[in-house]
Amino acid sequence: MPKIHQLSATLSNQIAAGEVIERPASVVKELVENSIDAQATQIDVLISAAGLQEIRVSDNGIGIAPDDVATAFLRHATSKILTTRDLFNVHSLGFRGEALASIAAVADVKLTTAMDSGIGTQIHVKGGEVEAQSTAAHRRGTDVEVNDLFFNTPARLKYMKSQQTELGKIVDIVSRLAMANPDIAFTVSHDGNMVVRTAGQGDLRQTLAGIYGLSVARSMVDFKAQDLDFRVSGLTSLPETTRASRNYLSLVVNGRYIKNFQLTKAVIAGYGSKLMVGRYPMGVINIEMDAALVDVNVHPTKAEVRLSKEDQLSHLLSEAIRTRLAKENLIPDALDNLPKRERYDLDQLELTLNKISPKTMPSVQPQQGQQLRENTTTNLADTAAEEPTPAPTSPDLEIGDLDDQPIFNEPQRLAAWDQRLASNVVPTLMADEPEPDISHVESAERFPNLTYLAQVHGTYLLAESGDGLYILDQHAAQERVNYEYYRQAIGEVSNDQQHLLVPIVLDYSAADAISIRDHRDVLESVGLYLEDFGQNSFVVEHHPTWFKAGQEEDTIKEMVDWVLRDGRMTVAAFREKTAIMMSCKRAIKANHHLDDRQARALLQKLPECENPFNCPHGRPVLVHFSNTDLEKMFKRIQDSHESGEMQA
């Protein structure tokens, strides 16, 4: 066995850095938390190359005494605790004295500080070794400049993600710290561009507006409650403002941002059934408690804590939110449900139109548009002979208009749509068209030749074949038909786009905006183009024509949510999810009564699917009762007690 020896201070610090400093965002977190502990009211973060090249954090805090500057870079050197008793009564964000030592072990660090404006102290530490220390002119506060992160541990660099991903994590952690400290003004700049700015006026709603946007801040309601041990307060969103993941809930315990699944679950439980499935609220939850009830020394990065009386706190939190929401009128304002472009006042609308210059974007080819107008005129002429429908001047707008109605309500209005899709959806039946006889249709070998019988409760279709009775779920059946069309249509992105008279503007937080830009190619793979429109906003000037009319903004937001929730999603997986979403949106729903012709048209199209047996979500499309099953149910076949033979 090799001889046991003590590790050098440099190697010990590099090992510690592996626990504390995972990526550039970890450096920013530790330095910003030190600034908060130093009672700063202004904290500025400057980033180059997503932090791998340079990170600079400046504050106007109380600074460090000249005699303590070198000591601050020693491992486990801290001013926050003195005894074991202090360890269980921590009021500061940092207390273990590992941050500066760990950062300096894997980077080139310069720290300049002063307790009063005038003469301060500067120290240069590289790879854990002090290079130089001198006096320097400096204002009150501390500047820490970190260069060449992981220069002496290059193996760590291979685990870094793209620059946009790393920048997004930096912005996310600063945003969380800003929401936990609304009385501090934060700025984050990347390569000279301002990414985050908060006012630091002590108004949490104002801070949220700077991070998530004004519309989200306005949709928040404040709440507060307390018992003998805990005091909870904060802002949480109304049920109409949700996201596709839990990541937009920020928990703050005694000023420290933490992650805690049980408390997040308690917040969601407070909404009860007011949230749609798969949607989660946004908000900032401030929890104040005796420091003795929380142990912050259980995780290397202090992201998780151990709480006493966690069940009691969860109950208080759920009840506080439930009680607060009970006071609100949760009927959405009709004005708020309009597309954002319809809510702008005239000045904003004029500004938007002036700012967005016409671009040469993909559009329907003239030959396609001419053919579409001819098809539209021909098909609609039969149903409106007394009042002929003029050919539309814009084929793009006409397709959007045709899509206003459910697919089975006014089938004649979808004639042009069906022509354009080359009969790849359920056939449209004209008023004077004879009912189709599906008995002459050659069915796929694996799928029965069905004859329609009736509809049950506006949801299920009854059909028969030579081998028995079939019950079909009409929604699942048309979902399957639609899905197989959209799966092909989305995979073959064309120049066929619907232009918008007034563009759709989407606002996101800085972290989300960075992630969207990083994965913009995934959205473009299905024909969705988001153009930059300000710092954290995007504009959509046109969209694929297969979007359902009236649901364009909701559809785009849902697609963007997928990208934000799963940044690793491949183009193929994204197209698959989009096809499933569109097939569901355009399918007939339960309690929708079909006439005989509409039902037969659906049964005629179903056998042409590659997989007619399941909807895209995996639910069965139809169930089968064989002739034998029916005979057994009605006791037409039963066991003979005497001979053991079957008798009819």
Side-chain angles (χ1 to χ4, degrees):
M1 178 177 177
K3 184 176 178 60
I4 298 175
H5 63 279
Q6 187 176 13
L7 296 176
S8 66
T10 300
L11 186 55
S12 298
N13 285 338
Q14 289 181 349
I15 293 174
E19 298 177 348
V20 179
I21 309 303
E22 300 175 356
R23 56 187 353 120
S26 305
V27 176
V28 174
K29 174 181 179 295
E30 296 295 342
L31 295 180
V32 171
E33 286 183 345
N34 282 346
S35 296
I36 294 172
D37 287 339
Q39 304 172 24
T41 59
Q42 174 74 45
I43 301 175
D44 301 315
V45 181
L46 286 79
I47 306 294
S48 295
L52 292 174
Q53 180 178 332
E54 180 185 10
I55 298 172
R56 183 172 180 177
V57 177
S58 304
D59 67 58
N60 62 350
I62 59 176
I64 305 174
D67 295 341
D68 292 337
V69 171
T71 307
F73 283 88
L74 298 178
R75 195 177 179 196
H76 304 312
T78 180
S79 62
K80 314 292 176 60
I81 60 174
L82 293 174
T83 66
T84 303
R85 185 174 184 178
D86 295 333
L87 186 60
F88 297 97
N89 193 30
V90 175
H91 293 275
S92 57
L93 299 182
F95 57 91
R96 292 191 295 224
E98 290 185 316
L100 287 178
S102 297
I103 295 170
V106 292
D108 186 348
V109 179
K110 288 183 180 179
L111 182 148
T112 308
T113 184
M115 301 186 69
D116 294 297
S117 297
I119 299 178
T121 305
Q122 183 178 80
I123 187 171
H124 180 196
V125 184
K126 183 175 182 180
E129 301 292 335
V130 177
E131 299 287 327
Q133 181 174 350
S134 62
T135 59
H138 195 260
R139 57 172 174 74
R140 182 178 185 269
T142 303
D143 288 1
V144 183
E145 184 179 338
V146 180
N147 295 290
D148 298 330
L149 185 62
F150 302 131
F151 79 97
N152 57 353
T153 53
R156 300 289 299 276
L157 294 174
K158 67 181 180 181
Y159 299 105
M160 296 298 103
K161 306 299 183 183
S162 69
Q163 285 198 13
Q164 293 296 316
T165 300
E166 296 299 334
L167 177 60
K169 293 185 178 298
I170 292 173
V171 170
D172 180 67
I173 192 62
V174 175
S175 297
R176 308 276 188 182
L177 292 170
M179 289 185 286
N181 299 273
D183 54 335
I184 300 176
F186 289 85
T187 65
V188 178
S189 300
H190 180 249
D191 293 337
N193 298 316
M194 186 66 66
V195 181
V196 173
R197 182 192 294 274
T198 65
Q201 300 296 320
D203 187 339
L204 179 57
R205 193 182 300 271
Q206 187 180 35
T207 302
L208 279 172
I211 294 171
Y212 291 132
L214 188 58
S215 60
V216 171
R218 285 175 174 170
S219 69
M220 296 282 181
V221 294
D222 57 337
F223 70 94
K224 59 182 178 179
Q226 67 180 57
D227 59 14
L228 294 177
D229 296 305
F230 305 102
R231 182 184 297 113
V232 297
S233 62
L235 293 172
T236 189
S237 64
L238 293 171
E240 63 197 61
T241 302
T242 58
R243 292 294 185 267
S245 74
R246 298 178 176 89
N247 293 336
Y248 296 86
L249 277 175
S250 297
L251 300 175
V252 181
V253 174
N254 291 346
R256 181 189 305 277
Y257 164 67
I258 67 163
K259 298 177 181 178
N260 186 294
F261 178 76
Q262 183 169 339
L263 295 184
T264 300
K265 188 177 178 181
V267 173
I268 297 171
Y271 282 78
S273 60
K274 297 179 177 67
L275 293 174
M276 292 181 62
V277 175
R279 305 297 296 184
Y280 302 95
M282 306 175 69
V284 180
I285 314 299
N286 287 308
I287 303 168
E288 298 176 49
M289 64 178 74
D290 189 332
L293 295 177
V294 53
D295 184 359
V296 297
N297 192 32
V298 296
H299 192 275
T301 63
K302 304 184 287 290
E304 298 176 9
V305 299
R306 184 178 289 117
L307 301 172
S308 298
K309 303 182 180 180
E310 194 170 52
D311 291 339
Q312 175 185 329
L313 175 58
S314 298
H315 178 73
L316 176 65
L317 197 53
S318 295
E319 286 301 315
I321 293 176
R322 182 180 295 110
T323 302
R324 181 62 180 87
L325 292 177
K327 301 176 182 178
E328 290 293 316
N329 179 359
L330 298 181
I331 301 175
D333 190 343
L335 184 61
D336 291 337
N337 286 333
L338 290 175
K340 184 179 293 186
R341 59 188 183 278
E342 296 181 20
R343 300 199 300 265
Y344 288 150
D345 57 32
L346 293 179
D347 293 337
Q348 180 63 36
L349 180 58
E350 181 179 359
L351 176 62
T352 302
L353 292 176
N354 289 338
K355 188 170 184 178
I356 304 172
S357 58
K359 297 181 178 66
T360 305
M361 301 301 296
S363 60
V364 178
Q365 299 299 320
Q367 294 83 355
Q368 295 175 334
Q370 180 62 30
Q371 181 64 39
L372 179 59
R373 285 192 291 271
E374 292 173 1
N375 291 339
T376 304
T377 306
T378 302
N379 287 301
L380 296 183
D382 294 337
T383 58
E386 297 179 2
E387 208 171 335
T389 303
T393 58
S394 170
D396 286 342
L397 292 178
E398 179 64 16
I399 290 179
D401 293 338
L402 289 175
D403 215 10
D404 286 343
Q405 299 297 327
I407 196 166
F408 282 106
N409 275 9
E410 294 183 288
Q412 62 271 25
R413 298 188 65 203
L414 286 175
W417 178 265
D418 291 334
Q419 289 288 340
R420 187 178 149 276
L421 298 185
S423 302
N424 277 328
V425 294
V426 176
T428 302
L429 299 174
M430 308 307 293
D432 56 350
E433 184 178 347
E435 297 180 4
D437 181 5
I438 66 171
S439 63
H440 296 89
V441 177
E442 182 178 357
S443 301
E445 294 181 1
R446 56 179 180 161
F447 198 82
N449 189 2
L450 301 179
T451 301
Y452 173 69
L453 299 176
Q455 185 184 38
V456 179
H457 298 311
T459 303
Y460 304 103
L461 305 180
L462 302 182
E464 67 175 353
S465 185
D467 59 349
L469 174 69
Y470 289 83
I471 304 178
L472 296 89
D473 183 328
Q474 66 187 30
H475 176 73
Q478 202 192 11
E479 259 194 315
R480 167 53 59 177
V481 172
N482 290 347
Y483 167 72
E484 299 211 356
Y485 160 69
Y486 284 117
R487 185 177 60 178
Q488 178 180 356
I490 292 172
E492 299 174 355
V493 180
S494 68
N495 292 334
D496 197 357
Q497 295 275 325
Q498 171 70 55
H499 289 267
L500 296 165
L501 181 61
V502 179
I504 297 173
V505 179
L506 305 173
D507 298 319
Y508 291 94
S509 67
D512 287 347
I514 292 169
S515 181
I516 291 170
R517 293 186 181 99
D518 193 29
H519 300 92
R520 191 148 31 187
D521 58 326
V522 178
L523 296 168
E524 292 176 356
S525 71
V526 297
L528 183 58
Y529 299 89
L530 275 64
E531 301 291 337
D532 288 328
F533 186 68
Q535 182 176 330
N536 301 319
S537 300
F538 300 89
V539 63
V540 179
E541 299 183 31
H542 54 90
H543 59 77
T545 52
W546 39 261
F547 275 25
K548 183 170 178 59
Q551 297 184 7
E552 298 91 345
E553 186 169 347
D554 289 340
T555 301
I556 293 170
K557 286 181 177 178
E558 189 167 351
M559 294 168 71
V560 173
D561 273 350
W562 293 339
V563 172
L564 294 175
R565 184 170 48 189
D566 187 0
R568 298 181 180 179
M569 183 181 293
T570 63
V571 171
F574 184 74
R575 288 175 173 174
E576 177 79 3
K577 290 180 69 70
T578 303
I580 292 173
M581 176 189 68
M582 294 304 302
S583 65
C584 183
K585 285 181 178 294
R586 297 188 63 87
I588 50 177
K589 303 300 188 287
N591 299 317
H592 184 100
H593 292 275
L594 309 179
D595 60 34
D596 290 354
R597 290 173 298 169
Q598 295 165 349
R600 287 191 173 95
L602 181 57
L603 294 184
Q604 184 180 18
K605 195 65 181 176
L606 187 60
E608 300 176 11
C609 295
E610 179 182 340
N611 172 22
F613 307 107
N614 302 92
C615 80
H617 303 95
R619 294 190 297 106
V621 169
L622 72 170
V623 294
H624 176 218
F625 293 88
S626 67
N627 291 330
T628 302
D629 293 333
L630 295 174
E631 290 171 344
K632 284 183 178 180
M633 283 191 291
F634 288 98
K635 307 299 182 183
R636 295 182 61 81
I637 296 180
Q638 50 187 307
D639 294 332
S640 170
H641 297 290
E642 297 180 358
S643 63
E645 297 178 354
M646 303 298 287
Q647 296 181 348

